[in-house]
């Protein structure tokens, strides 16, 4: 039985034990040392870590203090473990995913390396990890992938691959944090369980996920030991195969396997197999053994160079081996000789597109960005990519995705500098940046969110853009292209493409809301604002301030959000952008309410509705109307709030999870909870269902909290408490503590009415501690009133 099966059967206790085991991993201590440092007995600590006994709360606090972590997020889970309630129905996130296999295709003509393969398997058997090192092009990746394919049957839970880009020309090595997020994503670990910050926390989460699985992980192209160390599996059955051009001497515990060039016999065999030569004295290689030997010399017996040379022979049946040698002799060095020879067989259009591929900022790419870079029709780009695949100049790891080997990418970039005019390269790079901004805008428009409603102004739209049938297709594309878009953002910043820097993050907001949290988005918008300031355009500057304010607000940085919104106001007025003014009014309304202002938010929401109507934006008007209904509910005008929410629900929309509709269902459910409890529960359950289907975890937590409020108003206290606890458990997994301030007082009031005054007092005091620090004056006042009421009644 694996860890997830046990958690499903054991419930909160096993979940708590899993969290405690994570704390132990972070401490780096064994059970005895950890017991000594916390003042616990080894036997008791062992029972706590194994989930056999609920630890006393002071023991949980002591474990948290060892690793300097706040124990309060664990309190609801500890309470559920101590007094378990019936588990609520679980969402589809718990469905076991199919085993993941990210391994590149194994080479059908893999040749030689028997001794090295045996050494790899021995190291995996004895240490669970091996580091394969050697010079560029010597076949490290091929060996590791081949070995991983042969190990796949023994490690059926996952076969993972990540390129760490330690020696990729033109880009920085992948940082361990990003690599860990990619690996956790490949294991389908829900984003709410992935820590937002800290390599140590991410590494601990990664080791915890691998502990119950049998997986083989290929960590390709590592820069150094420090990049790799956090990615290695911990205790458990999983294994890792690392490749690097450097000997990873910093990994003392990892056995090395060093690759040299192939032997003359292996080189000759690989050249024959890869070129399709049947062998024998009458074959092309057999008729001219001296030229065949010269090919091996020019390739330096490097497998990659040999494959490139063999591809030319295979696709040029009229060539003799002597012609191949003549073409190769015109190259620069051992690898460039083979690569240059391959490129010389291309026609002008093929060679040009190949060179421009070296400019692409990301790791892998599709035919759309290739077409944009070369400014050619999509069909032409597709055909050329197929030709480059045949020439072994381009690889295709999965259908529709392409990539260049690091050595090939480096050659393509050097060829650009030698053969293309700087002005043409600048235009090509501009077209690539244009593509990513416009494609991100197209994906954003396919999702049911209120967007700017305008096309991006950066550059010009490419001739062909991906089409997205629905929001799921758009989110899938954004996930596959996320690394490329961040690389495009960095490239735009480096070359001074300030309009692209301003606009690209704006079209990634919806994706970040579901996959990446708030931390990185704040950083992107900070840089967007700097670009807008350089541009000096009022509209760009106003939107950049507004977007940064929204990111600050969602990160719980209220004072900074208010300052950004105030800075946005005059700029948007100067720019005459009515829709952006309306969006800012909605954002300011929510902020002003949280800051303790009562009447102003309602006025701002109504003003936003009029501005949206003036601009001819019905979606925006619905968004403002839903916000108005929310404000009316907060002010106690339940009938008016319900009426406004029903008006929003009457607006037709193709997506049931459209934000105004979702907001209206939640508001209506709370507003009519006393008068029409069945209708209220129906609306709130539907909103919760839609949030889960949409995988928007913040919305799911909001729905759960509001369902708890509605159930409390119906007098169904135990059900209400269960929903509140479920909401807080979700917030714990999101690793965004500031979100709790929105729900603490509501949860406390439910506890008070349910006869749990001590718990209510604790929650109110937690809110009173958190609210002033974040700037939530309204919640601070509610906490003070709640505490006073409890003390008065007590």
């Amino acid at each position: 039985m694996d860890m997830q099966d046990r958690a499903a059967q054991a419930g909160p206790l096993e979940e708590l034990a899993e969290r405690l085991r994570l704390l132990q991993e972070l401490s780096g201590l064994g059970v005895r040392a950890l017991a000594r440092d916390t003042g616990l007995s080894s036997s008791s600590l062992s029972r706590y870590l194994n989930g056999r006994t609920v630890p006393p709360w002071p023991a949980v606090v002591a474990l948290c203090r060892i690793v300097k972590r706040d124990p309060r997020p664990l309190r609801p889970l500890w309470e559920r473990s101590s007094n378990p309630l019936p588990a609520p129905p679980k969402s589809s996130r718990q469905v076991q995913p199919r085993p993941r296999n990210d391994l590149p295709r194994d080479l059908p003509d893999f040749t030689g390396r028997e001794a090295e393969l045996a050494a790899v398997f021995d190291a995996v058997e004895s240490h669970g990890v091996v580091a394969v090192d050697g010079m560029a092009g010597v076949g490290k990746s091929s060996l590791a992938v081949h070995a991983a394919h042969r190990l796949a049957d023994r490690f059926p839970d996952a076969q993972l691959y990540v390129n760490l880009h330690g020696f990729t020309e033109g880009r920085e090595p992948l940082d361990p944090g990003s690599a860990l997020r990619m690996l956790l994503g490949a294991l389908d670990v829900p984003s709410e369980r992935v820590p937002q910050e800290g390599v140590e926390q991410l590494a601990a989460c990664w080791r915890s996920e691998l502990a119950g699985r049998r997986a083989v992980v290929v960590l390709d192209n590592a820069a150094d030991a420090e990049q790799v160390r956090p990615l290695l599996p911990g205790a458990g059955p999983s294994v890792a195969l690392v490749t690097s051009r450097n000997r990873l001497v910093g990994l003392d515990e990892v056995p090395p396997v060093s690759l040299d060039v192939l032997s003359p016999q292996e080189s000759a065999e690989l050249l024959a197999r890869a070129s399709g030569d049947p062998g024998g004295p009458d074959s092309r290689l057999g008729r001219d053994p001296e030229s065949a030997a010269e090919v091996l010399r020019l390739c330096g017996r490097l497998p990659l160079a040999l494959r490139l040379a063999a591809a030319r022979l295979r696709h040029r049946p009229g060539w003799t081996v002597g012609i191949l040698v003549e073409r190769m002799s015109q190259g620069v060095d051992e690898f460039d000789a083979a690569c240059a020879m391959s490129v010389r067989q291309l026609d002008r259009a093929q060679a040009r597109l190949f060179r421009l591929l070296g400019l692409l900022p990301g790791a892998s790419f599709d035919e759309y960005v290739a077409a944009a870079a070369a400014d050619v029709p999509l069909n032409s780009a597709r055909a050329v990519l197929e030709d480059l695949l045949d020439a072994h100049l381009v690889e295709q790891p999965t259908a529709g995705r392409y990539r260049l080997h690091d050595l090939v990418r480096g050659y393509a970039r050097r060829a650009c500098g030698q053969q293309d005019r700087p002005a043409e390269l600048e235009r090509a790079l501009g077209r690539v940046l244009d593509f990513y901004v416009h494609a991100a805008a197209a994906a954003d428009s396919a999702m049911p969110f209120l967007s700017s409603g305008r096309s991006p102004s950066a550059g010009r739209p490419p001739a062909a853009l991906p089409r997205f049938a629905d929001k799921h297709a758009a989110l899938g594309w954004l996930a596959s292209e996320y690394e490329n878009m961040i690389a495009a953002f960095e490239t735009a910043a480096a070359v001074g493409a300030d309009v692209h820097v301003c606009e690209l993050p704006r079209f990634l907001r919806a994706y970040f809301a579901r996959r990446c949290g708030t931390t990185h988005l704040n950083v992107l918008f900070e840089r967007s604002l700097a670009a807008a300031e350089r541009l000096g355009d009022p509209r760009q500057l106003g939107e950049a301030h507004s977007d940064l304010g929204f990111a600050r607000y969602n990160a719980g940085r209220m004072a900074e959000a208010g300052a950004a919104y105030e800075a946005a106001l005059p700029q948007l007025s100067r720019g005459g952008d009515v829709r952006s003014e309306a969006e800012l009014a909605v954002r300011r309304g929510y902020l002003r309410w949280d800051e303790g202002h009562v009447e102003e938010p309602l006025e701002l929401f109504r003003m936003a509705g009029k501005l949206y109507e003036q601009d001819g934006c019905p979606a925006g008007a619905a968004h403002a109307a839903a916000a108005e209904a929310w404000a009316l509910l907060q002010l106690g005008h339940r009938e008016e709030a319900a009426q406004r929410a029903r008006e929003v629900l009457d607006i037709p929309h193709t997506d049931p999870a459209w934000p105004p509709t979702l907001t209206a269902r939640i508001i209506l459910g709370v507003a009519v909870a006393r008068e029409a409890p069945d209708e209220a529960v129906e609306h709130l359950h539907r909103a919760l269902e839609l949030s889960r289907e949409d995988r928007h975890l913040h919305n799911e937590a909001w729905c759960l909290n509001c369902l708890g409020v509605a159930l409390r108003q119906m007098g169904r206290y135990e059900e209400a408490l269960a929903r509140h606890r479920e909401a807080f458990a979700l917030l714990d997994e999101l690793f965004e503590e500031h979100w709790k301030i929105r729900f603490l007082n509501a949860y406390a009031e439910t506890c008070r009415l349910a006869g749990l005054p001590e718990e209510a007092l604790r929650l109110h005091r937690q809110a009173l501690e958190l609210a002033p620090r974040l700037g939530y004056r309204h919640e601070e006042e509610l906490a003070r009133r709640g505490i006073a009421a409890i003390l008065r009644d007590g």
Side-chain angles (χ1 to χ4, degrees), residues 1-31:
M1 182 182 297
D2 65 21
M3 185 180 298
Q4 290 181 332
D5 288 338
R6 292 197 303 271
Q9 289 188 8
L13 178 57
E14 177 55 28
E15 190 177 348
L16 177 63
E18 186 175 348
R19 297 287 187 90
L20 298 182
R21 289 194 294 270
L22 182 59
L23 294 176
Q24 183 195 5
E25 286 196 39
L26 287 173
S27 74
L29 301 174
V31 173

Side-chain angles (χ1 to χ4, degrees), residues 497-506 525 528 531-532 535 540 544 547:
D498 285 334
V499 179
H500 299 75
V501 175
C502 282
E503 294 190 340
L504 184 56
R506 194 166 298 148
F525 278 133
S528 291
L535 289 171
Q540 291 283 15
D547 286 338

Side-chain angles (χ1 to χ4, degrees), residues 54-99:
V54 178
W57 178 242
V60 177
V61 173
L63 289 168
C64 289
R65 284 177 176 168
I66 286 292
V67 294
K68 299 181 179 179
R69 292 293 184 273
D70 185 355
R72 287 173 293 183
L74 291 177
R75 182 74 186 204
L77 180 58
W78 177 81
E79 291 171 350
R80 297 203 309 275
S81 302
S82 304
N83 300 289
L85 292 171
K90 296 297 182 182
S91 69
S92 59
R93 293 197 309 275
Q94 290 184 306
V95 175
Q96 290 286 344
R98 289 180 296 176

Side-chain angles (χ1 to χ4, degrees), residues 645-794:
R646 293 187 197 280
E647 292 171 4
V648 174
L649 289 177
D650 288 338
I651 300 173
H653 197 276
T654 55
D655 193 308
W658 188 44
T661 301
L662 192 69
T663 301
R665 285 191 180 278
I666 295 170
I667 291 165
L668 187 56
V670 176
V672 303
R674 294 170 183 164
E675 297 82 6
D678 291 342
E679 180 189 357
V681 169
E682 181 182 350
H683 283 299
L684 287 163
H685 278 161
R686 180 58 176 152
L688 180 60
E689 176 186 342
L690 291 171
S691 296
R692 285 172 170 166
E693 289 175 0
D694 205 31
R695 294 186 63 191
H696 197 309
L697 299 174
H698 296 86
N699 279 351
E700 182 179 342
W702 184 34
C703 290
L704 286 165
N705 183 71
C706 290
L707 183 56
V709 171
L711 290 168
R712 176 228 297 161
Q713 293 177 355
M714 300 173 198
R716 295 157 63 173
Y717 297 131
E718 290 304 315
E719 295 175 74
L721 288 171
R723 299 292 83 77
H724 284 301
R725 287 166 180 158
E726 193 176 351
F728 272 79
L730 194 58
L731 291 178
D732 286 339
E733 294 171 357
L734 281 169
F735 291 92
E736 291 188 322
E737 282 291 299
H738 60 274
W739 267 79
K740 291 184 177 179
I741 190 59
R742 305 170 188 266
F743 307 149
L744 279 166
N745 287 311
Y747 185 9
E749 178 64 8
T750 302
C751 288
R752 184 181 71 84
L753 293 175
L756 301 172
E758 292 183 2
E759 178 64 8
L761 190 61
R762 184 187 67 80
L763 292 169
H764 278 313
R765 284 173 172 164
Q766 186 178 344
L768 189 58
E769 177 186 350
L770 193 59
R773 176 157 51 89
L774 296 175
Y776 283 80
R777 294 175 186 170
H778 177 72
E779 295 296 337
E780 180 181 355
E781 179 59 25
L782 288 180
R784 292 186 188 280
R785 292 179 188 174
I787 292 172
I790 294 171
L791 295 178
R792 184 177 60 249
D793 294 343

Side-chain angles (χ1 to χ4, degrees), residues 424-462:
E424 168 56 22
L425 297 182
E426 184 178 343
R427 287 192 293 270
L429 183 58
R431 291 191 294 268
V432 171
L433 298 181
D434 291 348
F435 167 80
Y436 280 115
V437 173
H438 286 267
D444 185 65
S445 66
M447 291 183 284
F449 300 97
L450 187 69
S451 62
S452 64
R454 71 169 67 89
S455 299
S457 59
R460 62 183 180 88

Side-chain angles (χ1 to χ4, degrees), residues 186 243 316 392 396 413 422 427 472 531 533 554 576 583 741:
T243 76
R316 300 292 187 274
H392 283 233
Q396 189 175 39
R413 292 173 67 89
R427 287 192 293 270
H472 302 294
E533 289 171 339
N554 280 289
E583 182 178 48
I741 190 59

